Structures are given as structure tokens and as C-alpha cells.
């Protein structure tokens, strides 16, 4: 800051009443300086006009050779950075005292301000290249479309629109074609924002939106192959890079419980899926395990048997029994077992053909649904019709997938 001059001006002459009541000049009066009109806090960091002698207060001139008129406040330097003070001479009411050379101090500032506000040159506007931690030369030489990136030293520089992603800056441009060779990680840091969005042109899109290529060492015939892409509609496609490579693979985690992959309807209800045991399920895909017993029926255990040699668990979907001749007197009852244990928890849940009927209907009342690899599925006839009408020509089908 700067110390400004106080006193020595035409108004800085103090008058007082003499014994006869006449107004005379108040020479030799002690002038003290305060921060405001009422506070007891004084300014005491003053300097004489020589700029070296310290003062805590100033006496008005008595005249007679000191260069000031009698009663005038001699000129002195006020505290650093202070433009005005409240003065009291010999306890008189305080008056506001303004720096004497304030005009010469503010004059140059006025000229500088006028230049900054000049609409023709607008020198008051700060250019990006003039800011701190910015490489101005890099920005001045940057091509149109370059973006600003921070380099390894923390300096902001321009990323150039050239092959390779820029000359040492790794810059990514906006609005220009570019080949990027460095790894990029996209992370908004905000969970409700999509990391990357690729949209087709509003109309007329013909090129693929996103393409993946193999290397020449992994592609068919030693050439790069387009192995995956989102076409002009944004639909995903996969192509094997080589005749002995897999185009698309889905892998579960150890102990997988959820389905590995699902195909759903528009309401996101799964309609076909690979289960956690890697078995494919679909309403129209499965297999039927049929058995037939010709002639009159008789009770017996393990009359029909099937072993799961598929190497993966198989799920039971339904059980159905039919006869050519209906039972009389009492119903036919069947049981289905996996590795010797019934898949039903209650007798009432087992398949049953009522007296005079020929079909159990579709039975799904079982609690055990899985036949494990190497597991054995068997069918028992628990009860037949009474007396001479046991029922005849039984067919049993177990639907699995």
C-alpha cells in the first residue's frame, strides 16, 4: 500500500475564540486522528513530511518560518493505505479529514479504468491463454476443434486433432475425425448418468454405430476381421474372427444361482433362458420320457427307469398317465421317484386316474424338480382298479427340460 499526504491545504486552518470572543488562528493546537467520529481508537502510525520521523499526533503551526500559516495543519504522511481520518484539535468536535493528494493518486487509476472499459479494444477481457497454469503458446497454436487437457505436469494444454490422439497430450477433439491410440476410461462419477451413449443420425444412418476388429494374427487368413458391431440401427451383432474361435461366449460365476442368459418379452418376463446349471429352457423346447405297459395292470416298483446321462441337471416339467381301459372300483395311483425317493410330499399330489376315467391330466404337484447327472428317474404303479377291472394298456410320459 501507499502512505498518502494529509494537511497543508486551504481548509486545513483551524480557528478558535480568544478572550475577547474574537475568532483567531489556533496555532500550537494538538491534532489527534481517529478511525471514526466516535471511537476512541486513534491513528498513531504517522510520519513527518521528511518520510522518516515518526509521529503519533501533529500540532498546528504557530507560523513564523516553518512554511505554514499560523493555525494551519502541517502536511504529514498518514498511515499506510488510509485515505481518510477523523481529526480533533485540542478535543474539538471531530471533522473528516481527506488525504490531500488523493486526486494525483487516483488520476492514473482513472485513466487505466477508462482504457479497460473502452469498448473498442476490450483490453479488460482476460483470454484463456493468459490464465494461470495454462500453456498460452499451446492454445495459440491449437487447431480448430481442439480441447483443453491437463498434461502430466498439471499444465493445461491443447489436444491436437491429429492421428494418435495429439502430440504428447492425449487430447480428444470434438467435431473432428480422430484415431485414438491411448487407453481411455469413461466414468462420470455420478451413478444416475450413462457413461457412454452412441446414437444414430436422426435420419439416414447407413454406417455401423460401433465396430470391433480382430488383429491380423487372430483374424481369418491373416487379416483383420470385423468381429462385433452395432449396426446402423444400434442392433448388436457378433462374428467369429477365425473358423476355430468362438464368436460369443457367456460365462457364469462359481456357484451361479441366477440364469446365465435370458430372452424376455416386452415386459421383461423370461421366455427362454440358460439356467444357472447351463441348461437351456424354453416353453417349446424339452423332451418327453415315455413308457408303455400293455395288458392288464398290476402294482409294482421301478417298472420304468431312465438315467440322466446328459451330464447336466434336468428339470421335471410335468407327469401324465393314460390307460386304454379305465379302472373300476378304485383309481389307479402312480408315483415318480428320483434316485429312489418320491418327488411328491403327499399321496394326494401323486398322479391318479379316477374310476371310469382314462387320463390323470397334467400333473405338476411334485416338490422335487431336478434329476441330477447320473440320477435315475423311475415310475411305480402304487394302486390299480379293483377286482377284474384293474385298468389296462398304461402309458406314462414325464416331460423334462
Amino acid at each position: 500500500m501507499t502512505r498518502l499526504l494529509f494537511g497543508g491545504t486551504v481548509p486545513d486552518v483551524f480557528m478558535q475564540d480568544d478572550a475577547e470572543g474574537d475568532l483567531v488562528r489556533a496555532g500550537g493546537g494538538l491534532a489527534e486522528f481517529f478511525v471514526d467520529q466516535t471511537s476512541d481508537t486513534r491513528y498513531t502510525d504517522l510520519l513527518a513530511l521528511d518520510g522518516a520521523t515518526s509521529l503519533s499526533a501533529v500540532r498546528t503551526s504557530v507560523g513564523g518560518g516553518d512554511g505554514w500559516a499560523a493555525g494551519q495543519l502541517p502536511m504529514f504522511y498518514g498511515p499506510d493505505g488510509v485515505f481518510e481520518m477523523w481529526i480533533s484539535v485540542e478535543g474539538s468536535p471531530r471533522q473528516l479529514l481527506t488525504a490531500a493528494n488523493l486526486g494525483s493518486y487516483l488520476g492514473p487509476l482513472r485513466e487505466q479504468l477508462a482504457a479497460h472499459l473502452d469498448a473498442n479494444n476490450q483490453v479488460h477481457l482476460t483470454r484463456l491463454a493468459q490464465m494461470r497454469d495454462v500453456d498460452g503458446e499451446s492454445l495459440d497454436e491449437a487447431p480448430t476443434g481442439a480441447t483443453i487437457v491437463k498434461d502430466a505436469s498439471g499444465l493445461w494444454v491443447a489436444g491436437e486433432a491429429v492421428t494418435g490422439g495429439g502430440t504428447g497430450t492425449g487430447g480428444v477433439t470434438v467435431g473432428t475425425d480422430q484415431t485414438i491410440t491411448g487407453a481411455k476410461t469413461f466414468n462420470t462419477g455420478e451413478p444416475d448418468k450413462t457413461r457412454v451413449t452412441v446414437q444414430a443420425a436422426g435420419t439416414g444412418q447407413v454406417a455401423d454405430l460401433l465396430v470391433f476388429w480382430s488383429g491380423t494374427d487372430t483374424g481369418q487368413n491373416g487379416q483383420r476381421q470385423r468381429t462385433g458391431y452395432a449396426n446402423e440401427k444400434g442392433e448388436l451383432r457378433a462374428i467369429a474372427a477365425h473358423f476355430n474361435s468362438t464368436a460369443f461366449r457367456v460365462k457364469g460365476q462359481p456357484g451361479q444361482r441366477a440364469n446365465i442368459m435370458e430372452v424376455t418379452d416386452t415386459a421383461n418376463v423370461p421366455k427362454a433362458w440358460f439356467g444357472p446349471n447351463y441348461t437351456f429352457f424354453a416353453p417349446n423346447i424339452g423332451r418327453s420320457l415315455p413308457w408303455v405297459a400293455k395288458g392288464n395292470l398290476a402294482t409294482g416298483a421301478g417298472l420304468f427307469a431312465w438315467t440322466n446321462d446328459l451330464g447336466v441337471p434336468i428339470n421335471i416339467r410335468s407327469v401324465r398317465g393314460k390307460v386304454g381301459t379305465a379302472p373300476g372300483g378304485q383309481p389307479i395311483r402312480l408315483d415318480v421317484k428320483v434316485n429312489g425317493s418320491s418327488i411328491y410330499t403327499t399321496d394326494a399330489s401323486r398322479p391318479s386316474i379316477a374310476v371310469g376315467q382314462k387320463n390323470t391330466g397334467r400333473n405338476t404337484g411334485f416338490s422335487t424338480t431336478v434329476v441330477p447327472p447320473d440320477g435315475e428317474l423311475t415310475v411305480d404303479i402304487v394302486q390299480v382298479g379293483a377286482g377284474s377291472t384293474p385298468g389296462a394298456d398304461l402309458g406314462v410320459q414325464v416331460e423334462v427340460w
Side-chain angles (χ1 to χ4, degrees):
M1 297 294 289
T2 303
R3 288 178 178 267
L4 275 72
L5 288 169
F6 289 84
T9 68
V10 172
D12 298 331
V13 177
F14 293 87
M15 310 293 285
Q16 66 180 8
D17 295 335
D18 61 10
E20 287 77 24
D22 296 327
L23 194 62
V24 297
R25 298 189 183 196
L30 184 65
E32 296 177 303
F33 307 94
F34 298 85
V35 297
D36 58 39
Q37 191 174 15
T38 59
S39 172
D40 291 335
T41 304
R42 294 173 52 204
Y43 287 116
T44 57
D45 181 22
L46 314 175
L47 290 177
L49 197 57
D50 59 12
T53 304
S54 296
L55 304 172
S56 61
V58 179
R59 289 192 177 275
T60 58
S61 175
V62 295
D66 61 359
W68 305 106
Q72 187 172 34
L73 182 67
M75 188 168 283
F76 64 96
Y77 288 103
D80 192 21
V82 175
F83 292 82
E84 59 185 23
M85 299 182 291
W86 288 84
I87 184 174
S88 173
V89 180
E90 296 292 345
S92 65
R94 298 179 191 180
Q95 303 177 62
L96 184 62
L97 179 67
T98 304
N101 61 339
L102 191 59
S104 60
Y105 181 81
L106 296 179
L109 294 180
R110 179 181 179 279
E111 295 177 0
Q112 294 173 18
L113 180 60
H116 276 283
L117 298 178
D118 189 336
N120 293 324
N121 57 41
Q122 295 190 359
V123 295
H124 64 289
L125 297 179
T126 302
R127 299 176 62 247
L128 181 61
Q130 297 170 333
M131 300 185 71
R132 182 178 177 181
D133 296 330
V134 173
D135 184 348
E137 182 178 354
S138 169
L139 300 186
D140 288 338
E141 298 176 357
T144 301
T147 57
I148 310 303
V149 297
K150 183 177 288 188
D151 65 12
S153 67
L155 192 65
W156 290 96
V157 298
E160 299 181 9
V162 299
T163 299
T167 56
T169 67
V172 179
T173 65
V174 177
T176 58
D177 295 343
Q178 184 180 11
T179 298
I180 302 173
T181 58
K184 300 291 182 288
T185 300
F186 298 91
N187 190 344
T188 66
E190 299 181 46
D192 59 342
K193 290 188 177 181
T194 301
R195 266 53 176 169
V196 178
T197 300
V198 181
Q199 293 182 338
T203 57
Q205 180 75 34
V206 294
D208 294 332
L209 300 188
L210 185 67
V211 181
F212 301 96
W213 292 83
S214 73
T216 56
D217 58 333
T218 55
Q220 188 75 17
N221 300 323
Q223 298 178 346
R224 287 187 181 274
Q225 300 293 324
R226 187 177 66 160
T227 58
Y229 62 98
N231 64 15
E232 74 283 357
K233 300 175 183 178
E235 301 163 335
L236 296 179
R237 302 290 186 265
I239 309 169
H242 198 272
F243 71 86
N244 65 353
S245 63
T246 302
F248 185 75
R249 175 175 293 162
V250 180
K251 180 180 180 182
Q253 292 289 345
Q256 180 77 29
R257 296 182 180 179
N259 292 332
I260 302 296
M261 186 174 71
E262 295 180 342
V263 179
T264 73
D265 60 15
T266 55
N268 286 326
V269 176
K271 294 301 182 181
W273 62 92
F274 281 99
N277 55 11
Y278 308 101
T279 303
F280 183 71
F281 300 89
N284 60 337
I285 296 178
R287 65 181 63 201
S288 180
L289 307 178
W291 294 278
V292 176
K294 299 296 290 182
N296 288 339
L297 301 180
T299 59
L303 299 179
F304 312 107
W306 175 82
T307 300
N308 179 9
D309 287 332
L310 298 177
V312 294
I314 291 295
N315 288 69
I316 303 172
R317 299 176 70 181
S318 65
V319 178
R320 182 185 293 272
K322 295 181 180 181
V323 292
T325 301
Q330 61 184 17
I332 297 171
R333 295 188 183 280
L334 307 175
D335 193 9
V336 179
K337 297 178 179 179
V338 173
N339 289 335
S341 297
S342 176
I343 66 176
Y344 298 94
T345 56
T346 64
D347 183 67
S349 300
R350 293 184 174 92
S352 177
I353 301 176
V355 173
Q357 301 297 315
K358 294 184 177 181
N359 199 320
T360 64
R362 186 172 187 267
N363 179 276
T364 58
F366 41 81
S367 57
T368 299
T369 60
V370 177
V371 183
D374 299 323
E376 185 177 62
L377 186 148
T378 58
V379 177
D380 297 351
I381 300 178
V382 178
Q383 179 179 288
V384 296
S388 62
T389 56
D393 301 328
L394 173 66
V396 178
Q397 66 184 45
V398 180
E399 296 294 333
V400 297
W401 59 358

